[in-house]
Amino acid sequence: MTRPAQFFTTPIYYVNAKPHLGHAYTTIAADVATRFKQMDGYDTYFLTGTDEHGDKIVQAAEKENCSPKEYVDQISRLFQDLWPVLNISNNQFIRTTNPGHIKVVEQILTRIHDSGDIYFSSYEGLYCFGCERFYQERELTDGKCPDHGTAPEVIKESNYFFRMSQYQDWLIDHIKANPDFIRPEQYKKEILSFLKEPLEDLCISRPKTRLTWGITLPFDKDYVTYVWFDALVNYISALGFPDGDLFRKFWPTTRHFVAKDIIKPHGIYWPIMLKAAGLDIYNGLNVHGFWNVRGSKMSKSIGNVTDPVEVTGEYGVDPFRYFLMREMVFGRDANFTEDQIVTRINSDLANDLGNLFSRVLTMTNRSCPEGFSNQIPALSARETEYSLKDSALQAVDEFKQAMDLCEFHNGTAAVWSFVSLMNKYIDTREPWALAKDETRRQDLELVLYNLVEGLRVVACLIYPVMPDTAKKMQAALGLNTDNNGLVPLHTIMPWGQTAFGTGFEKPAILFPRIEEKPKETQQVQAKPFKPALKDQISIEDFSKIDLRTGTILSAQKVEESSKLLKLTVDLGIEKRQIIAGIGKTYSPESLPGKQVIVVANLKEARIMGEVSQGMVLAVKDKKKLVLSGVESQTANGKPVQ
RNA sequence: GGCGACGUAGCUCAGUUGGUCAGAGCAUGCGGCUCAUAUCCGCAGAGUCCGGGGUUCAAAUCCCUGCGUCGCUACCA
């Protein structure tokens, strides 16, 4: 009998920054799903990798004084090195700079080009050669490039476009006909609502005069492909499209794990690309939410970008994986704080499971140093009264049901309900009392046997989330761990697999408690995961900025704008018109008379059709912008040092 | 401004298709046990399920509206 197949992927991560918590979560989730499916008898394949082309990479490489290839090698290495640390069991790590991948991208492009869904279209635009980019007319200042002060040239640029609109109705039908195509439900709704608007064709190329770090179009050597075909095709190139064994076996079973920010490319562009290329559509998309850190979205400027390497170093891999799976409702956003991870580790792992493991094995070791005697089955008359079997069975069922739906929080919760039940069971049966009464020797053994059996079930179920701990527990329980902790789901349940006549070692501590919580809090504040500041600049850099005092003379709303105000500012020597995005915090009437600090030598810009000759300084606090002024009234136009 | 969410006990949040849905964990208080990593077990708190309106025999759960928070985006020089 052949085993059913299951293919899981993570997105290929863009190598413009080192891995953070979000990357770790997606990858761990996919890993947990993979390990679960393996338990459930599936033949799995698990793919992750890095996305390495594009303009941003070229720029980043220039900054680092190295070639794009050297740069992407370096960052991609960080990802490749992280996964073993997090116990990720991926079968392959794909890079979009791999020759094999590039070849498949060319094939797909050729197919779709041949079938007529890629067309060439030229358009005229205003192009500034200095900036190497097109400008909209409203972006220009007096018809000139705001950066270079030169008139942009009207040039005709042509690009390749992917005709998506004709597949729109097909996609809507496909999504509706396959309820599992996009999960959870809320994201399916979101995609369908996107699809209510007509789809525009997708620009899929860049001329080599503008971008060289990419894959050359097979049908036009002067162009490289841009983002979509380059990146998404990794999912099939990794499997050896078009005729690899892996491709045939796994492709139809694909489930992609993605974060909610990239559902559009995955939920719309990708299926349409596949359809246009005449390929099977992947099976489905599992969409998860974002991790906020300490209450706000991860961002470099807030300084809360969380490094999974640091967290793992602090708390260990398994606790980290457990926390991520237990705390986030798959699909929704969740919050990550030191306090919460410490609480989870202490209460769920150390107190509930770790302590249970310890107390059961210590008692068993003491009461039955030679192991259980095999008279226990004879006690079947009392089995119902004493058994944990039904609860264990329920835990296994609920676990399986939840894990199948990627409801990892519910899966772990089901296991922990059982753990909690075992703790209650001990309280009720009072094995320490039984141990003092020789006449109740058999009752004692039965109670302990049931508990050891219960631990065995738990040790098997936690494998997808905490593979190391699963193995450790199984070893302590005298089970075979040749398969590194993986025990087939259907073999867990026959109750009574614990061997007779073999004693147990005194157990090691599974999860040490993290003590001194107040101290922890202090440490967190004293040592943020990452410094919040931008790179250092020299005094020369700073002196280039000409800051002056100025007084707002008048202010009015910019029409059709929600937060832009048009200010007239007296700089002493001259008056300036400045457009400022402070309309959410300040009303126009409240501004005249206020003295502010102005960046006086900022290039002119045109915003919403209005000229802006400078910028007023303001402090950004969440969405609020608070103007920065001077401590006491001064003359206008004075330099700020 | 547009699009999308979210607003449930002190805190963090569960509550797919409306009728034991008023819940869990943590924190707090009291009580119990002593096998165990000072762990475990039991009990308690009375929270207008953001406000208002509507649909319904019945709504935290559906519809409308108001307020608040957040994300994306547009116009953050």
Side-chain angles (χ1 to χ4, degrees):
Chain A
M1 197 182 80
T2 54
R3 292 185 296 161
Q6 179 66 59
F7 180 40
F8 286 120
T9 73
T10 75
I12 43 174
Y13 303 114
Y14 201 50
V15 289
N16 62 343
K18 67 178 193 176
H20 58 60
L21 180 63
H23 300 118
Y25 176 77
T26 311
T27 313
I28 289 171
D31 185 61
V32 170
T34 301
R35 289 176 187 267
F36 168 72
K37 280 294 183 186
Q38 283 172 3
M39 280 178 80
D40 203 15
Y42 283 72
D43 191 1
T44 63
Y45 199 83
F46 175 15
L47 172 72
T48 186
T50 43
D51 179 11
E52 310 187 355
H53 288 126
D55 205 33
K56 276 187 186 165
I57 301 300
V58 177
Q59 286 166 12
E62 271 169 14
K63 237 185 191 170
E64 299 285 320
N65 258 325
C66 60
S67 71
K69 179 60 178 162
E70 285 166 347
Y71 180 80
V72 298
D73 282 351
Q74 190 184 321
I75 305 285
S76 178
R77 173 54 51 197
L78 293 177
F79 282 88
Q80 292 174 61
D81 288 347
L82 173 60
W83 303 142
V85 173
L86 298 182
N87 241 328
I88 301 301
S89 61
N90 56 305
N91 298 86
Q92 189 185 149
F93 188 97
I94 190 171
R95 304 179 54 186
T96 54
T97 47
N98 288 351
H101 169 71
I102 293 171
K103 224 168 129 186
V104 174
V105 170
E106 289 166 354
Q107 285 176 45
I108 294 293
L109 282 166
T110 303
R111 273 197 189 204
I112 298 181
H113 186 248
D114 288 350
S115 72
D117 286 332
I118 288 176
Y119 64 93
F120 193 58
S121 172
S122 58
Y123 51 89
E124 282 189 346
L126 298 164
Y127 192 79
C128 172
F129 283 92
C131 304
E132 296 183 1
R133 59 161 285 196
F134 280 92
Y135 277 97
Q136 301 291 322
E137 268 192 61
R138 60 178 176 80
E139 292 178 292
L140 301 172
T141 307
D142 297 330
K144 289 177 180 169
C145 164
D147 280 357
H148 294 83
T150 55
E153 290 179 40
V154 176
I155 66 165
K156 208 178 225 180
E157 183 171 297
S158 306
N159 263 310
Y160 289 87
F161 291 83
F162 176 40
R163 214 186 299 275
M164 291 205 301
S165 45
Q166 60 175 315
Y167 294 103
Q168 184 157 1
D169 289 339
W170 163 79
L171 181 57
I172 293 171
D173 290 345
H174 183 82
I175 293 171
K176 288 182 175 166
N178 297 276
D180 277 353
F181 187 61
I182 299 171
R183 278 198 320 225
E185 189 76 12
Q186 60 195 110
Y187 295 108
K188 181 168 92 181
K189 284 184 190 159
E190 203 170 321
I191 288 289
L192 284 173
S193 102
F194 278 138
L195 288 171
K196 280 179 189 157
E197 301 297 322
L199 276 179
E200 286 182 28
D201 291 343
L202 205 58
C203 180
I204 58 155
S205 68
R206 287 290 182 270
K208 281 193 178 170
T209 50
R210 286 170 60 196
L211 177 67
T212 53
W213 183 240
I215 299 173
T216 302
L217 292 183
F219 41 82
D220 192 332
K221 301 297 171 213
D222 294 331
Y223 287 82
V224 295
T225 184
Y226 172 71
V227 183
W228 316 114
F229 280 86
D230 187 333
L232 291 165
V233 166
N234 92 85
Y235 298 129
I236 59 172
S237 72
L239 292 180
F241 171 87
D243 49 15
D245 289 342
L246 288 174
F247 181 72
R248 261 195 296 275
K249 177 171 183 181
F250 286 106
W251 176 244
T253 73
T254 307
R255 290 207 72 92
H256 298 303
F257 278 83
V258 296
K260 66 181 184 183
D261 56 336
I262 49 174
I263 55 175
K264 223 168 157 177
H266 284 82
I268 297 178
Y269 307 162
W270 180 224
I272 290 180
M273 284 162 60
L274 289 165
K275 178 75 177 167
L279 300 179
D280 288 343
I281 312 307
Y282 62 86
N283 177 273
L285 204 57
N286 297 326
V287 187
H288 68 77
F290 285 155
W291 280 97
N292 294 318
V293 175
R294 274 169 258 140
S296 35
K297 187 180 158 67
M298 261 193 285
S299 98
K300 274 188 187 168
S301 60
I302 297 174
N304 64 349
V305 177
T306 300
D307 182 345
V309 177
E310 285 183 35
V311 181
T312 305
E314 183 94 26
Y315 301 108
V317 199
D318 276 4
F320 180 51
R321 290 171 60 113
Y322 174 77
F323 176 80
L324 294 182
M325 293 302 108
R326 181 70 184 80
E327 197 74 10
M328 176 177 267
V329 177
F330 193 85
R332 309 192 56 156
D333 292 356
N335 201 16
F336 185 96
T337 68
E338 297 274 327
D339 273 359
Q340 279 169 299
I341 190 169
V342 168
T343 298
R344 278 289 175 202
I345 290 173
N346 279 346
S347 57
D348 293 9
L349 298 183
N351 296 349
D352 290 349
L353 176 58
N355 182 56
L356 172 70
F357 179 74
S358 171
R359 67 199 297 211
V360 168
L361 286 192
T362 303
M363 282 189 284
T364 306
N365 183 43
R366 190 173 302 150
S367 299
C368 315
E370 311 298 325
F372 295 109
S373 59
N374 37 15
Q375 306 161 22
I376 296 179
L379 292 171
S380 58
R382 311 184 62 166
E383 188 172 297
T384 309
E385 182 193 347
Y386 274 70
S387 184
L388 284 164
K389 187 169 75 180
D390 292 346
S391 311
L393 187 62
Q394 188 186 341
V396 173
D397 284 349
E398 285 178 7
F399 172 80
K400 175 172 165 28
Q401 209 167 17
M403 297 300 281
D404 261 332
L405 295 170
C406 289
E407 292 173 357
F408 307 120
H409 58 298
N410 284 335
T412 46
V415 177
W416 259 259
S417 295
F418 182 54
V419 166
S420 172
L421 199 101
M422 285 165 74
N423 274 320
K424 288 193 212 338
Y425 179 89
I426 295 177
D427 210 57
T428 320
R429 305 297 168 196
E430 299 186 318
W432 53 90
L434 298 177
K436 287 173 188 155
D437 185 349
E438 249 329 294
T439 66
R440 305 200 63 188
R441 173 71 196 178
Q442 287 198 327
D443 287 352
L444 173 65
E445 279 207 41
L446 180 58
V447 166
L448 292 177
Y449 187 84
N450 273 312
L451 287 165
V452 171
E453 271 292 287
L455 281 177
R456 180 182 62 78
V457 172
V458 171
C460 296
L461 292 184
I462 62 173
Y463 166 78
V465 177
M466 297 194 284
D468 286 349
T469 305
K471 188 179 174 186
K472 216 187 288 180
M473 286 178 69
Q474 289 167 18
L477 294 170
L479 303 168
N480 180 338
T481 57
D482 289 350
N483 217 353
N484 279 318
L486 187 156
V487 176
L489 204 54
H490 72 277
T491 67
I492 293 175
M493 218 21 231
W495 190 254
Q497 295 183 45
T498 297
F500 297 101
T502 312
F504 302 100
E505 301 281 310
K506 194 173 184 324
I509 297 285
L510 228 41
F511 305 101
R513 264 187 80 81
I514 299 165
E515 297 298 344
E516 314 248 357
K517 246 186 157 178
K519 226 177 177 177
E520 283 296 325
T521 323
Q522 282 170 12
Q523 279 179 357
V524 171
Q525 283 163 352
K527 199 186 79 181
F529 283 129
K530 209 183 165 187
L533 300 178
K534 294 179 183 172
D535 292 344
Q536 273 196 353
I537 59 167
S538 66
I539 186 74
E540 287 78 26
D541 288 333
F542 177 74
S543 65
K544 290 179 188 163
I545 304 171
D546 196 346
L547 298 172
R548 299 295 177 112
T549 52
T551 298
I552 298 175
L553 298 177
S554 69
Q556 63 185 92
K557 282 198 83 117
V558 175
E559 286 198 26
E560 289 174 27
S561 147
S562 62
K563 66 177 177 189
L564 293 185
L565 297 182
K566 181 161 75 177
L567 311 176
T568 311
V569 181
D570 183 355
L571 279 192
I573 24 175
E574 60 185 80
K575 286 173 190 157
R576 295 279 185 87
Q577 170 171 301
I578 295 175
I579 307 299
I582 55 174
K584 284 266 163 73
T585 320
Y586 292 93
S587 65
E589 310 82 63
S590 67
L591 289 170
K594 272 201 163 57
Q595 192 164 39
V596 292
I597 296 172
V598 174
V599 182
N601 62 338
L602 196 66
K603 269 176 196 148
E604 269 192 16
R606 191 172 272 272
I607 306 156
M608 288 287 282
E610 298 281 357
V611 174
S612 182
Q613 308 161 303
M615 171 173 150
V616 294
L617 297 192
V619 179
K620 185 166 188 179
D621 183 13
K622 295 199 175 170
K623 281 207 164 164
K624 235 165 102 179
L625 279 174
V626 181
L627 285 173
S628 158
V630 287
E631 217 256 319
S632 60
Q633 193 75 21
T634 63
N636 289 328
K638 294 297 167 196
V640 178
Q641 299 182 298

